[in-house]
């Protein structure tokens, strides 16, 4: 086998290209306690099976009742081969492979929004795209699209027509200057606990060249900052470092701590995940890649002297945090560099390598699994947060409602009489208010304020 893996790599909910894995194909080595595979019979040849395939293709081309597209048949056959493997190994025809490359580069012709595929059962069974993010000043924002809107059809075709999210996205993308039409549905607020009638309209937008930033950030007050990473594209590490520096410069007393939001981040380039962990960790392993029988194939390690290695950090994750996001969260958790808040992550811990097939198509195969610094397997397990928080607020319940506090006594001593400011009765600080109605972010900010007050001692988690 002469195929070599590319040195650059990609990690996502269904994709990961690994750095440092070039030339992965190796000869089998017998391990102690295992049997060496016996040699194939002398008359065995895999080319007999290829001959069978060529015969079948010739029969189809010559005898099927109508003319056939040989290229489509071959693409379908390769896709059928890969379909027998795991869900993340797949064959991508040239057009779909181009979409993958655009995601890696982080720039493409489109409408400027991030969507997820959602299945609904009421009031009717259907698939829709839910808008999770709208790119500032992009075509979608100018057309009035907002987060939470639903897209039930594109170019008059229901979303179920596109089979999966990738094909639906392909329908939305296209050459800059061309137009795309989709139906936009805005859910109505509930009335007496029942959903109201949604507003529906057709939207026509002109595609533009979208250069969507991977990182967004804002100051929360009290020296605390918030940084969200949308995906792991080619510039993510550089954008994150720049965002941290900007937050530091904006704060009068420097940057005291950061909430790092990886929610709904399905992954991206592995080398960017390594780069990002390296911003916060001074030494030790970042991620290990193991192949068959647990054989260590590659290990990325941190480099000393990082500017943010002591910055108090809380990482937000949810079920849609996958792959590269899990590498980052797992590494920071193992190194005790961050408190992980949110929900158990998706659990996509396999490594896919891209093999170019010469005509623009791509064969993406699972070749290994990746592990956290403490050799925790992420595949099908995910990263369990230190603090589990759902998306909804839980009302506070008084543990002893019958017990009145000291401040309820009519003649209690007021703390300001002793020269100290009164302690607030509720957590209504500037940074917590800045978190708004986002329950998970609110809890993350509360814990970050605690970390800033009581600095972590460091050391690896065991």
């Amino acid at each position: 086998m002469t195929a070599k893996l590319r040195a650059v790599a990609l990690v996502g909910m269904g994709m990961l290209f690994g750095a440092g894995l070039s030339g992965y194909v190796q000869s089998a080595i017998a391990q102690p306690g295992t049997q060496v595979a016996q040699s194939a019979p002398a008359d065995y040849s895999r080319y007999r099976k290829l001959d069978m395939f060529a015969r079948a293709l010739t029969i189809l081309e010559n005898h099927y009742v109508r003319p056939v597209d040989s290229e489509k048949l071959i693409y379908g056959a390769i896709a059928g081969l890969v379909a027998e493997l795991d869900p993340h190994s797949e064959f991508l025809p040239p057009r779909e492979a181009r979409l993958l490359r655009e995601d890696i580069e982080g720039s493409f012709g489109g409408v400027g929004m991030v969507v997820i595929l959602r299945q609904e059962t009421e009031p009717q069974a259907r698939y829709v795209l839910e808008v999770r993010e709208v790119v500032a000043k992009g075509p979608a924002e100018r057309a009035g699209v907002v987060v939470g809107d639903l897209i039930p059809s594109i170019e008059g075709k229901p979303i179920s027509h596109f089979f999966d999210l990738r094909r639906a996205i392909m329908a939305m993308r296209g050459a800059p200057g061309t137009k795309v039409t989709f139906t936009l549905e805005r859910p109505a607020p509930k009335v007496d606990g029942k959903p109201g009638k949604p507003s529906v309209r057709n939207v026509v937008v002109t595609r533009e060249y979208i250069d969507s930033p991977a990182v967004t950030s804002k100051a929360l007050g009290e020296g605390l900052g918030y940084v969200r990473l949308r995906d792991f594209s080619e510039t993510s590490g550089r954008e994150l470092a720049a965002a941290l520096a900007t937050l530091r410069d904006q704060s009068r007393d420097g940057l005291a701590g950061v909430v790092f939001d990886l929610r709904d981040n399905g992954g991206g380039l592995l080398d960017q995940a390594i780069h990002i962990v390296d911003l916060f960790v001074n030494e030790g392993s970042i991620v290990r890649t193991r192949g068959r029988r647990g054989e260590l194939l590659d290990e990325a390690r941190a480099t000393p002297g990082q500017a943010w290695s002591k910055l108090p950090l809380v990482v937000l994750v949810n079920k849609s945090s996958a792959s590269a996001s899990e590498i980052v969260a797992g590494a920071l958790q193992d190194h005790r560099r961050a408190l992980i808040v949110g929900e158990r992550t998706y659990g996509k811990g396999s490594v896919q390598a891209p093999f170019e097939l010469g005509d623009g198509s791509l064969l993406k195969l699972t070749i290994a699994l990746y592990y956290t610094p403490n050799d925790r397997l992420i595949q099908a397990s995910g990263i369990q947060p230190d603090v589990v928080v759902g998306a909804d607020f839980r009302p506070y319940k008084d543990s002893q409602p019958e017990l009145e506090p000291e401040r309820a006594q009519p003649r209690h001593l007021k703390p300001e009489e002793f020269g100290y400011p009164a302690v607030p009765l509720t957590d209504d600080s500037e940074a917590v208010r800045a978190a708004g109605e986002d329950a998970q972010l609110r809890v993350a900010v509360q814990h970050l304020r605690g970390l800033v007050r009581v600095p972590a001692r460091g050391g690896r988690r065991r």
Side-chain angles (χ1 to χ4, degrees), residues 387-455:
V387 181
V388 178
V389 183
D392 299 323
F393 285 104
R394 290 188 176 183
Y396 167 74
K397 185 177 181 180
D398 192 341
S399 61
Q400 300 182 60
E402 73 285 353
L403 177 61
E404 289 189 345
E406 171 71 11
R407 63 180 176 271
Q409 302 300 325
R411 293 185 293 114
H412 71 275
L413 297 175
K414 297 181 180 180
E416 55 264 31
E417 293 179 357
F418 299 94
Y420 295 95
V423 177
L425 302 182
T426 59
D427 187 354
D428 194 29
S429 68
E430 179 185 2
V432 173
R433 288 196 302 272
E437 298 302 312
D438 187 332
Q440 292 173 328
L441 178 57
R442 196 177 182 92
V443 172
V445 171
Q446 290 169 337
H447 281 82
L448 180 60
R449 295 178 75 229
L451 290 178
V452 171
R453 291 194 183 103
V454 185

Coordinates of all heavy atoms in Angstrom, one line a residue, residues 387-455:
V387 N -19.0 20.2 36.9 CA -20.3 20.7 37.4 C -21.3 20.5 36.3 O -21.2 21.1 35.2 CB -20.2 22.2 37.7 CG1 -21.5 22.8 38.3 CG2 -19.0 22.5 38.7
V388 N -22.3 19.7 36.6 CA -23.3 19.4 35.6 C -24.4 20.4 35.7 O -25.1 20.6 36.7 CB -23.9 18.0 35.8 CG1 -25.0 17.7 34.8 CG2 -22.8 16.9 35.7
V389 N -24.7 21.1 34.6 CA -25.7 22.1 34.5 C -26.5 22.0 33.2 O -25.9 21.9 32.1 CB -25.1 23.6 34.5 CG1 -26.2 24.6 34.5 CG2 -24.2 23.7 35.7
G390 N -27.8 22.0 33.3 CA -28.7 21.9 32.1 C -28.9 23.3 31.5 O -28.4 24.3 32.0
A391 N -29.7 23.3 30.5 CA -30.0 24.6 29.8 C -31.0 25.5 30.5 O -31.2 26.6 30.2 CB -30.4 24.3 28.4
D392 N -31.7 24.9 31.5 CA -32.8 25.6 32.2 C -32.4 26.0 33.6 O -31.7 25.3 34.3 CB -34.1 24.8 32.2 CG -34.6 24.4 30.8 OD1 -34.5 25.3 29.9 OD2 -35.1 23.3 30.6
F393 N -33.0 27.1 34.1 CA -32.7 27.6 35.4 C -33.5 26.7 36.4 O -34.7 26.3 36.1 CB -33.2 29.0 35.6 CG -32.3 30.0 35.0 CD1 -32.6 30.7 33.8 CD2 -31.1 30.3 35.7 CE1 -31.8 31.6 33.3 CE2 -30.2 31.3 35.1 CZ -30.6 31.9 33.9
R394 N -32.9 26.3 37.5 CA -33.6 25.6 38.6 C -33.9 26.6 39.7 O -33.0 27.2 40.2 CB -32.7 24.5 39.1 CG -32.5 23.3 38.2 CD -31.8 22.2 38.8 NE -31.7 21.0 37.9 CZ -31.2 19.8 38.3 NH1 -30.8 19.7 39.5 NH2 -31.2 18.8 37.5
P395 N -35.2 26.7 40.1 CA -35.5 27.7 41.1 C -34.9 27.3 42.4 O -34.8 26.1 42.8 CB -37.0 27.6 41.2 CG -37.4 26.3 40.6 CD -36.3 26.0 39.6
Y396 N -34.4 28.3 43.1 CA -33.8 28.1 44.5 C -34.9 27.7 45.4 O -36.0 28.2 45.5 CB -33.2 29.4 44.9 CG -32.8 29.4 46.4 CD1 -31.7 28.7 46.8 CD2 -33.5 30.1 47.3 CE1 -31.3 28.7 48.2 CE2 -33.2 30.1 48.7 CZ -32.1 29.4 49.1 OH -31.7 29.4 50.4
K397 N -34.6 26.7 46.3 CA -35.5 26.2 47.3 C -34.8 26.3 48.6 O -33.8 25.7 48.9 CB -35.8 24.7 47.0 CG -36.9 24.1 47.9 CD -37.3 22.7 47.5 CE -38.3 22.2 48.5 NZ -38.7 20.8 48.2
D398 N -35.5 27.0 49.5 CA -35.0 27.3 50.8 C -35.0 25.9 51.6 O -36.0 25.2 51.7 CB -35.9 28.3 51.5 CG -35.3 28.8 52.8 OD1 -34.4 28.2 53.4 OD2 -35.7 29.9 53.3
S399 N -33.9 25.6 52.2 CA -33.8 24.3 52.9 C -34.5 24.4 54.3 O -34.9 23.3 54.8 CB -32.3 24.0 53.2 OG -31.7 25.0 53.9
Q400 N -34.6 25.6 54.9 CA -35.3 25.7 56.2 C -36.1 27.0 56.2 O -35.8 28.0 56.8 CB -34.3 25.8 57.3 CG -33.4 24.5 57.4 CD -32.4 24.6 58.6 OE1 -32.9 24.7 59.7 NE2 -31.2 24.5 58.3
P401 N -37.3 27.0 55.5 CA -38.1 28.2 55.3 C -38.6 28.7 56.7 O -38.9 29.9 56.8 CB -39.2 27.7 54.4 CG -39.3 26.3 54.5 CD -37.9 25.8 54.7
E402 N -38.7 27.8 57.6 CA -39.2 28.2 58.9 C -38.2 29.0 59.8 O -38.5 29.7 60.7 CB -39.7 27.0 59.7 CG -38.6 26.1 60.3 CD -37.9 25.2 59.3 OE1 -38.4 25.2 58.1 OE2 -36.9 24.5 59.6
L403 N -36.9 28.9 59.4 CA -35.9 29.6 60.2 C -35.6 31.0 59.6 O -35.2 31.1 58.5 CB -34.6 28.8 60.1 CG -33.4 29.4 60.8 CD1 -33.6 29.6 62.3 CD2 -32.1 28.5 60.6
E404 N -35.9 32.0 60.4 CA -35.6 33.4 59.9 C -34.2 33.8 60.2 O -33.6 33.4 61.2 CB -36.6 34.4 60.7 CG -38.0 34.3 60.2 CD -38.9 35.4 60.8 OE1 -38.4 36.1 61.8 OE2 -40.0 35.6 60.3
P405 N -33.5 34.4 59.2 CA -32.1 34.8 59.4 C -32.0 35.9 60.4 O -32.9 36.6 60.8 CB -31.7 35.2 58.0 CG -32.9 35.7 57.4 CD -34.0 34.8 57.9
E406 N -30.7 36.2 60.8 CA -30.4 37.3 61.7 C -30.9 38.6 61.2 O -31.4 39.4 62.0 CB -28.9 37.3 61.9 CG -28.4 38.5 62.7 CD -28.8 38.5 64.2 OE1 -29.2 37.4 64.7 OE2 -28.6 39.5 64.9
R407 N -30.8 38.8 59.9 CA -31.2 40.1 59.4 C -32.7 40.4 59.6 O -33.2 41.5 59.4 CB -30.8 40.3 57.9 CG -31.5 39.3 57.0 CD -31.0 39.4 55.6 NE -31.6 38.4 54.7 CZ -31.1 37.3 54.5 NH1 -29.9 36.9 55.0 NH2 -31.6 36.4 53.6
A408 N -33.5 39.3 59.9 CA -35.0 39.5 60.1 C -35.3 40.1 61.5 O -36.4 40.5 61.7 CB -35.7 38.2 59.8
Q409 N -34.3 40.0 62.4 CA -34.6 40.5 63.7 C -34.7 42.0 63.7 O -33.8 42.7 63.0 CB -33.4 40.1 64.6 CG -33.2 38.6 64.8 CD -34.4 37.9 65.3 OE1 -35.1 38.4 66.2 NE2 -34.7 36.7 64.8
P410 N -35.6 42.6 64.3 CA -35.9 44.1 64.2 C -34.7 44.9 64.8 O -34.5 46.1 64.3 CB -37.1 44.3 65.0 CG -37.2 43.1 65.9 CD -36.6 42.0 65.2
R411 N -33.9 44.4 65.7 CA -32.8 45.2 66.2 C -31.4 44.6 65.9 O -30.5 44.8 66.7 CB -33.0 45.3 67.8 CG -34.3 46.1 68.1 CD -34.4 46.3 69.6 NE -34.7 45.0 70.3 CZ -33.8 44.5 71.2 NH1 -32.7 45.1 71.5 NH2 -34.1 43.3 71.8
H412 N -31.3 43.9 64.7 CA -30.0 43.3 64.4 C -29.0 44.4 64.1 O -29.3 45.5 63.7 CB -30.2 42.4 63.2 CG -30.4 43.1 61.9 ND1 -31.6 43.5 61.4 CD2 -29.5 43.5 60.9 CE1 -31.5 44.1 60.2 NE2 -30.2 44.1 59.9
L413 N -27.7 44.1 64.3 CA -26.6 45.0 64.1 C -26.3 45.0 62.6 O -26.1 44.0 62.0 CB -25.4 44.6 64.8 CG -25.5 44.6 66.4 CD1 -24.2 44.0 67.0 CD2 -25.8 46.0 66.9
K414 N -26.3 46.2 62.0 CA -26.0 46.3 60.6 C -24.5 46.4 60.3 O -23.8 47.1 61.0 CB -26.7 47.6 60.0 CG -28.2 47.6 60.2 CD -28.8 48.8 59.6 CE -30.3 48.8 59.7 NZ -31.0 50.0 59.2
P415 N -24.1 45.6 59.3 CA -22.6 45.5 59.1 C -22.0 46.8 58.7 O -20.8 47.1 59.1 CB -22.5 44.5 58.0 CG -23.8 44.4 57.4 CD -24.8 44.7 58.4
E416 N -22.7 47.8 58.1 CA -22.1 49.0 57.7 C -21.7 49.9 59.0 O -20.9 50.8 58.9 CB -23.0 49.8 56.8 CG -24.4 50.1 57.3 CD -25.4 49.1 56.8 OE1 -24.9 47.9 56.5 OE2 -26.6 49.4 56.5
E417 N -22.3 49.6 60.1 CA -22.0 50.3 61.3 C -20.5 50.1 61.8 O -20.0 50.8 62.5 CB -22.9 49.9 62.5 CG -24.4 50.4 62.2 CD -25.3 50.0 63.3 OE1 -24.8 49.3 64.3 OE2 -26.5 50.4 63.3
F418 N -19.9 49.0 61.3 CA -18.6 48.7 61.6 C -17.6 49.1 60.6 O -16.4 48.6 60.6 CB -18.5 47.2 61.9 CG -19.3 46.7 63.1 CD1 -20.6 46.2 62.8 CD2 -18.9 46.9 64.4 CE1 -21.4 45.8 63.9 CE2 -19.8 46.5 65.4 CZ -21.0 45.9 65.2
G419 N -18.0 49.8 59.6 CA -17.1 50.3 58.6 C -17.0 49.4 57.4 O -16.1 49.7 56.5
Y420 N -17.8 48.4 57.3 CA -17.7 47.5 56.1 C -18.9 47.6 55.3 O -20.0 47.8 55.8 CB -17.5 46.0 56.6 CG -16.2 45.8 57.3 CD1 -16.1 45.8 58.7 CD2 -15.0 45.5 56.6 CE1 -14.9 45.6 59.4 CE2 -13.8 45.3 57.2 CZ -13.8 45.4 58.6 OH -12.6 45.2 59.3
P421 N -18.8 47.4 54.0 CA -20.0 47.5 53.1 C -20.9 46.3 53.4 O -20.5 45.2 53.7 CB -19.4 47.4 51.7 CG -18.1 46.8 51.8 CD -17.6 47.2 53.2
A422 N -22.2 46.4 53.1 CA -23.2 45.3 53.3 C -22.9 44.3 52.3 O -22.7 44.5 51.1 CB -24.6 45.9 53.2
V423 N -23.1 43.0 52.7 CA -22.9 41.9 51.8 C -24.2 41.7 51.0 O -25.3 41.7 51.6 CB -22.6 40.6 52.5 CG1 -22.5 39.4 51.6 CG2 -21.3 40.8 53.3
P424 N -24.2 41.7 49.7 CA -25.5 41.5 48.9 C -26.2 40.2 49.3 O -25.5 39.2 49.5 CB -25.1 41.5 47.5 CG -23.6 41.2 47.5 CD -23.1 41.7 48.8
L425 N -27.5 40.2 49.3 CA -28.3 39.0 49.7 C -28.4 38.1 48.5 O -28.7 36.9 48.7 CB -29.6 39.4 50.2 CG -29.6 40.3 51.4 CD1 -31.1 40.6 51.9 CD2 -28.8 39.7 52.6
T426 N -28.2 38.5 47.3 CA -28.3 37.7 46.1 C -27.1 37.9 45.3 O -26.4 38.9 45.4 CB -29.5 38.0 45.3 OG1 -29.5 39.4 44.9 CG2 -30.8 37.8 46.1
D427 N -26.7 36.9 44.4 CA -25.6 37.0 43.6 C -26.0 37.8 42.3 O -26.5 37.2 41.3 CB -25.1 35.6 43.2 CG -23.8 35.6 42.4 OD1 -23.3 36.8 42.1 OD2 -23.2 34.6 42.1
D428 N -25.9 39.1 42.4 CA -26.3 39.9 41.3 C -25.1 40.8 40.9 O -25.3 42.0 40.7 CB -27.5 40.8 41.8 CG -28.2 41.5 40.6 OD1 -28.1 40.9 39.5 OD2 -28.7 42.6 40.8
S429 N -23.9 40.2 40.8 CA -22.8 41.0 40.4 C -22.8 41.4 38.9 O -23.6 40.9 38.2 CB -21.5 40.1 40.7 OG -21.5 39.1 39.7
E430 N -21.9 42.3 38.6 CA -21.9 42.8 37.2 C -21.7 41.7 36.2 O -22.4 41.6 35.2 CB -20.7 43.8 37.1 CG -20.6 44.4 35.7 CD -19.4 45.3 35.6 OE1 -18.7 45.5 36.5 OE2 -19.2 45.9 34.5
A431 N -20.7 40.8 36.5 CA -20.4 39.7 35.5 C -21.6 38.7 35.4 O -21.9 38.2 34.3 CB -19.1 39.0 36.0
V432 N -22.2 38.4 36.6 CA -23.4 37.5 36.5 C -24.5 38.1 35.7 O -25.2 37.4 34.9 CB -23.8 37.1 38.0 CG1 -25.1 36.3 37.9 CG2 -22.7 36.3 38.7
R433 N -24.8 39.4 35.9 CA -25.8 40.1 35.1 C -25.5 40.0 33.6 O -26.4 39.9 32.8 CB -26.0 41.5 35.6 CG -26.6 41.7 37.0 CD -27.1 43.1 37.1 NE -26.0 44.1 37.0 CZ -25.3 44.5 38.0 NH1 -25.4 44.0 39.2 NH2 -24.3 45.4 37.8
A434 N -24.2 40.1 33.3 CA -23.8 40.1 31.9 C -24.1 38.7 31.3 O -24.2 38.6 30.0 CB -22.3 40.4 31.8
A435 N -24.2 37.7 32.1 CA -24.5 36.3 31.5 C -25.9 36.2 31.0 O -26.3 35.3 30.3 CB -24.2 35.3 32.6
G436 N -26.8 37.2 31.5 CA -28.2 37.2 31.0 C -29.0 36.0 31.4 O -28.8 35.5 32.5
E437 N -29.8 35.5 30.5 CA -30.7 34.4 30.8 C -30.1 33.0 30.4 O -30.8 32.0 30.4 CB -32.0 34.6 30.0 CG -32.8 35.8 30.5 CD -33.1 35.8 32.0 OE1 -33.6 34.7 32.5 OE2 -32.8 36.8 32.7
D438 N -28.8 33.0 30.1 CA -28.1 31.7 29.7 C -27.7 31.0 31.0 O -26.8 31.4 31.7 CB -26.9 32.1 28.9 CG -26.2 30.8 28.4 OD1 -26.3 29.7 29.0 OD2 -25.5 30.9 27.3
A439 N -28.5 30.0 31.4 CA -28.3 29.3 32.7 C -26.9 28.7 32.8 O -26.3 28.8 33.9 CB -29.4 28.2 32.9
Q440 N -26.4 28.1 31.8 CA -25.1 27.4 31.9 C -24.0 28.5 32.0 O -23.1 28.3 32.8 CB -24.9 26.5 30.7 CG -25.8 25.3 30.7 CD -25.7 24.5 29.4 OE1 -25.5 25.1 28.3 NE2 -25.9 23.2 29.5
L441 N -24.1 29.6 31.2 CA -23.1 30.6 31.3 C -23.1 31.3 32.7 O -22.1 31.6 33.2 CB -23.3 31.7 30.2 CG -22.4 32.9 30.2 CD1 -20.9 32.4 30.1 CD2 -22.7 33.8 29.0
R442 N -24.3 31.5 33.2 CA -24.5 32.1 34.5 C -23.7 31.3 35.6 O -23.0 31.8 36.4 CB -25.9 32.2 34.8 CG -26.2 33.2 36.0 CD -27.8 33.3 36.2 NE -28.1 34.3 37.2 CZ -28.4 35.6 37.0 NH1 -28.3 36.0 35.7 NH2 -28.7 36.4 37.9
V443 N -23.9 30.0 35.6 CA -23.3 29.1 36.5 C -21.7 29.1 36.3 O -20.9 29.2 37.3 CB -23.8 27.7 36.5 CG1 -23.0 26.7 37.3 CG2 -25.3 27.6 36.9
A444 N -21.3 29.2 35.0 CA -19.9 29.2 34.7 C -19.3 30.5 35.3 O -18.2 30.4 35.9 CB -19.7 29.1 33.2
V445 N -20.0 31.6 35.2 CA -19.4 32.9 35.7 C -19.4 32.8 37.2 O -18.4 33.3 37.8 CB -20.3 34.1 35.2 CG1 -19.9 35.3 35.9 CG2 -20.2 34.2 33.7
Q446 N -20.4 32.3 37.8 CA -20.3 32.2 39.3 C -19.2 31.3 39.8 O -18.5 31.7 40.8 CB -21.7 31.6 39.8 CG -22.9 32.5 39.6 CD -24.2 31.8 39.9 OE1 -24.3 30.6 39.8 NE2 -25.2 32.5 40.2
H447 N -18.9 30.2 39.1 CA -17.7 29.4 39.5 C -16.4 30.1 39.2 O -15.4 30.0 39.9 CB -17.8 28.1 38.8 CG -18.8 27.1 39.5 ND1 -20.1 27.1 39.2 CD2 -18.6 26.1 40.4 CE1 -20.7 26.2 40.0 NE2 -19.8 25.6 40.7
L448 N -16.4 30.8 38.1 CA -15.1 31.5 37.7 C -14.8 32.6 38.7 O -13.6 32.8 39.1 CB -15.3 32.2 36.3 CG -14.1 33.0 35.8 CD1 -12.9 32.0 35.7 CD2 -14.4 33.6 34.4
R449 N -15.8 33.3 39.2 CA -15.6 34.3 40.3 C -15.0 33.6 41.5 O -14.1 34.2 42.2 CB -16.9 35.0 40.6 CG -17.4 35.8 39.5 CD -18.7 36.5 39.9 NE -18.5 37.6 40.8 CZ -19.2 37.8 41.9 NH1 -20.1 36.9 42.3 NH2 -18.9 38.9 42.6
G450 N -15.4 32.4 41.8 CA -14.9 31.7 42.9 C -13.4 31.3 42.7 O -12.6 31.4 43.6
L451 N -13.1 30.8 41.4 CA -11.7 30.5 41.1 C -10.8 31.6 41.2 O -9.6 31.5 41.6 CB -11.7 29.9 39.7 CG -12.3 28.5 39.5 CD1 -12.2 28.1 38.0 CD2 -11.6 27.5 40.3
V452 N -11.3 32.8 40.8 CA -10.4 34.0 40.9 C -10.1 34.4 42.3 O -9.0 34.8 42.7 CB -11.2 35.2 40.2 CG1 -10.4 36.5 40.4 CG2 -11.3 34.9 38.7
R453 N -11.1 34.2 43.2 CA -10.9 34.5 44.6 C -10.0 33.5 45.3 O -9.2 33.8 46.2 CB -12.2 34.5 45.3 CG -13.1 35.7 45.0 CD -14.2 35.8 46.0 NE -15.2 36.9 45.6 CZ -16.4 36.7 45.0 NH1 -16.8 35.4 44.8 NH2 -17.2 37.7 44.7
V454 N -10.1 32.2 44.9 CA -9.3 31.1 45.5 C -8.5 30.5 44.4 O -9.0 29.5 43.8 CB -10.2 30.1 46.2 CG1 -9.3 29.1 46.9 CG2 -11.1 30.8 47.2
P455 N -7.3 31.0 44.1 CA -6.5 30.4 42.9 C -6.2 28.9 43.1 O -6.0 28.5 44.2 CB -5.2 31.3 43.0 CG -5.6 32.5 43.7 CD -6.6 32.1 44.7

